[in-house]
């Protein structure tokens, strides 16, 4: 952050704004820059194009007359949130997992929803249709499409007769690979690398015993080795501590879900640190399986209702559906998995393990893009993290996991992706739900969430 003397910054601002409409000046807001440092008051931020060119606190300077000035006095600004684990094109209303859903229009609908909720970058971890995904990713990177920026894991690599469940993911033949031999696994990695994938995704576990088989070690060993030979990282869908331990020892780069069967032990923690493995807890995943049937008070708030498509809203209002969920034996399992996940996240964070941010939003109807990420922040605080730690994970750390050095923090030279809040979340994480505006690439792209229609 630039803390120039006011006179020097005034000269710099004049130099940065030589032409009419060339720059925007944001002033007056409190700023949480994403690094976990203390809030800065009365900040002036200069945006030229899609980048921040100057940033300073406690400054009042003379601007060129044609400069656009936006006064956010009384507001708080944080970086745009970054999801390291979501899915596009898999859900519409209460429908999910069919090939016809994976269209450019449906993906953009979700990406606009994420962005309206301040999630300005999304990673789609598998079951992507390359014919749709890669052109869309290119357009979003170039600012030629309207929605959160997009990265992803190509098709992803699953298991014959196993994960991801065919009943849940009735995907097309070009959306998922299910190799049965190491050679087929290596070929799947090579094909994804040739198409230009950002990362490789594997589904390793059996979805807590609900599937007949897990991925064989020789398959995931082949994937990891081939991906690393192609200079690609591997993210693994996991549930059990034993699987996670073996994967970490084998060099997997990212655990894309939290360990939920039992508490992590010191040997696992040390292995995570030794290998530099990233950990994405996806706390919201298990809570979302049952919480909507209990209708907590926040479900009546516009911040939630404006994320819910009409068909899903009708389902939430259906007492028969709510009774079925609450009486389903899996609810207790999901509650216990969440509690284990919360404790493991705190243990790993306190030990200094690399923590990323994601929710698995978009994989199933109950995992709601945009809202899920704010629920994840609240659950991280429930786990014992401070609001500032949770925000840092969802911004700076999430960008680091993706290898992105142009976003995740608000500083000179970074992308001007940020959320304007009506309240300060440094003491109360619920303040992240008080969105006044979202900016992406240096321009305001949405206002209050209650003006958004999913």
């Amino acid at each position: 952050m630039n803390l120039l003397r006011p006179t020097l910054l005034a000269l710099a601002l004049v130099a940065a704004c030589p032409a009419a409409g060339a720059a925007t000046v944001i002033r007056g807001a409190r700023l949480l820059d994403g690094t976990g440092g203390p809030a800065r008051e009365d900040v002036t931020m200069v945006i030229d194009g899609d980048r921040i060119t100057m940033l300073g606190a406690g400054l009042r300077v003379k601007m060129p007359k044609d400069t656009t000035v936006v006064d956010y006095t009384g507001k708080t600004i944080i970086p745009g949130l970054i999801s390291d684990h979501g899915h596009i094109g898999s859900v519409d209303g209460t429908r999910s997992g069919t090939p016809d859903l994976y269209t450019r229009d449906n993906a953009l609908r979700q990406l606009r929803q994420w962005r309206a909720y301040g999630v300005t970058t999304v990673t789609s971890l598998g079951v992507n249709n390359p014919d749709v995904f890669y052109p869309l990713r290119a357009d979003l990177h170039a600012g030629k499409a309207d929605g959160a920026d997009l990265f992803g894991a190509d098709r992803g690599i699953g298991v014959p007769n196993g994960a991801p469940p065919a009943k849940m993911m009735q995907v097309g033949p070009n959306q998922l690979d299910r190799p049965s031999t190491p050679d087929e696994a290596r070929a799947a990695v090579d094909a994804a690398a040739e198409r230009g994938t950002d990362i490789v995704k594997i589904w390793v576990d059996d979805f807590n015993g609900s599937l007949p088989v897990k991925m064989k070690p020789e398959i995931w060993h082949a994937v990891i080795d081939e991906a690393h030979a192609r200079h690609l990282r591997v993210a693994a869908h996991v549930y059990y501590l034993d699987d996670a331990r073996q994967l970490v020892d084998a060099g997997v780069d990212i655990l894309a879900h939290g360990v939920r069967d039992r508490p992590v032990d010191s040997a696992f923690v040390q292995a995570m640190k030794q290998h530099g493995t990233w950990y994405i807890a996806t706390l919201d995943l298990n809570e979302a399986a049952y919480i909507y049937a209990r209708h907590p008070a926040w479900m009546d708030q516009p911040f939630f209702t404006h994320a819910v498509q009409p068909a899903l809203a009708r389902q939430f209002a259906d007492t028969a559906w709510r009774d079925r969920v609450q009486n389903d034996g899996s609810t207790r399992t999901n509650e216990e998995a969440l509690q284990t996940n919360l404790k493991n996240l705190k243990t790993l964070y306190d030990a200094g393990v690399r923590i990323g941010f994601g929710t698995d939003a978009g994989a199933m109807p109950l995992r709601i893009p945009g809202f899920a990420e704010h629920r994840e922040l609240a659950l991280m605080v429930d786990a014992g993290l401070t609001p500032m730690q949770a925000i840092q994970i969802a911004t700076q750390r999430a960008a680091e996991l993706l290898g992105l050095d142009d976003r995740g923090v608000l500083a000179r030279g970074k992308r001007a992706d940020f959320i304007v809040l009506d309240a300060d979340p440094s003491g109360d994480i619920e303040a992240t739900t008080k969105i006044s505006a979202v900016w992406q690439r240096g321009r305001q792209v949405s206002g209050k969430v209650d003006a958004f229609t999913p």
Side-chain angles (χ1 to χ4, degrees), residues 1-4 6 9 26-33 37-45 55-60 71-78 388 421-427:
M1 178 172 291
N2 289 292
L3 297 178
L4 301 179
L9 184 57
I26 307 290
R27 67 183 184 191
R30 176 182 297 107
L31 183 87
L32 307 180
D33 65 8
R40 289 175 167 84
E41 304 291 338
D42 192 19
V43 165
T44 297
M45 176 166 52
L55 198 62
L59 305 171
R60 283 292 178 266
D71 193 315
Y72 280 136
T73 299
K75 308 290 187 182
T76 299
I77 292 175
I78 65 173
M388 293 292 277
L421 302 172
D422 289 331
D424 180 3
S426 61

Side-chain angles (χ1 to χ4, degrees), residues 157 185-186 189-190 193 197-202 219-236 246-255 275-278:
I157 298 174
R186 284 188 284 269
V189 172
D190 291 340
T197 190
D198 299 301
I199 202 165
V200 174
K201 165 74 173 293
I202 52 175
I219 301 296
W220 53 256
H221 272 291
V223 170
I224 293 171
D225 291 346
E226 190 68 15
H228 288 175
R230 300 298 298 255
H231 306 290
L232 290 167
R233 294 180 301 158
V234 180
Q246 293 180 59
L247 286 160
V248 170
D249 288 342
V252 79
D253 303 280
I254 302 160
L255 297 180
H275 291 282
T277 314
W278 286 91

Side-chain angles (χ1 to χ4, degrees), residues 67-248:
T67 300
T68 299
V69 179
V70 181
D71 193 315
Y72 280 136
T73 299
K75 308 290 187 182
T76 299
I77 292 175
I78 65 173
L81 306 181
I82 296 172
S83 170
D84 295 321
H85 189 165
H87 293 273
I88 62 169
S90 294
V91 171
D92 191 13
T94 57
R95 296 180 59 219
S96 65
T98 57
D100 62 296
L101 295 177
Y102 204 103
T103 66
R104 182 183 176 97
D105 286 346
N106 193 32
L108 281 171
R109 175 190 63 79
Q110 293 177 301
L111 290 164
R112 286 193 297 270
Q113 176 159 319
W114 261 301
R115 191 182 62 183
Y117 280 76
V119 185
T120 52
T121 301
V122 170
T123 310
S124 185
L125 273 190
V127 294
N128 296 302
N129 179 336
D131 295 337
V132 174
F133 173 79
Y134 287 108
L136 178 58
R137 184 187 67 173
D139 285 347
L140 288 160
H141 284 353
K144 295 178 180 178
D146 192 31
D149 200 7
L150 179 64
F151 296 85
D154 197 80
R155 298 174 179 176
I157 298 174
V159 183
N161 301 313
K167 290 183 179 180
M168 183 177 77
M169 291 288 184
Q170 301 172 41
V171 295
N174 64 342
Q175 283 185 258
L176 180 66
D177 292 309
R178 295 186 188 269
S180 58
T181 68
D183 284 345
E184 290 178 359
R186 284 188 284 269
V189 172
D190 291 340
E194 291 301 318
R195 286 188 290 266
T197 190
D198 299 301
I199 202 165
V200 174
K201 165 74 173 293
I202 52 175
W203 283 266
V204 172
D205 65 281
D206 59 6
F207 281 46
N208 195 26
S210 65
L211 298 171
V213 292
K214 297 197 296 186
M215 181 174 280
K216 296 177 181 178
E218 57 263 34
I219 301 296
W220 53 256
H221 272 291
V223 170
I224 293 171
D225 291 346
E226 190 68 15
H228 288 175
R230 300 298 298 255
H231 306 290
L232 290 167
R233 294 180 301 158
V234 180
H237 184 294
V238 296
Y239 190 97
Y240 308 110
L241 178 59
D242 286 345
D243 289 341
R245 190 194 317 275
Q246 293 180 59
L247 286 160
V248 170

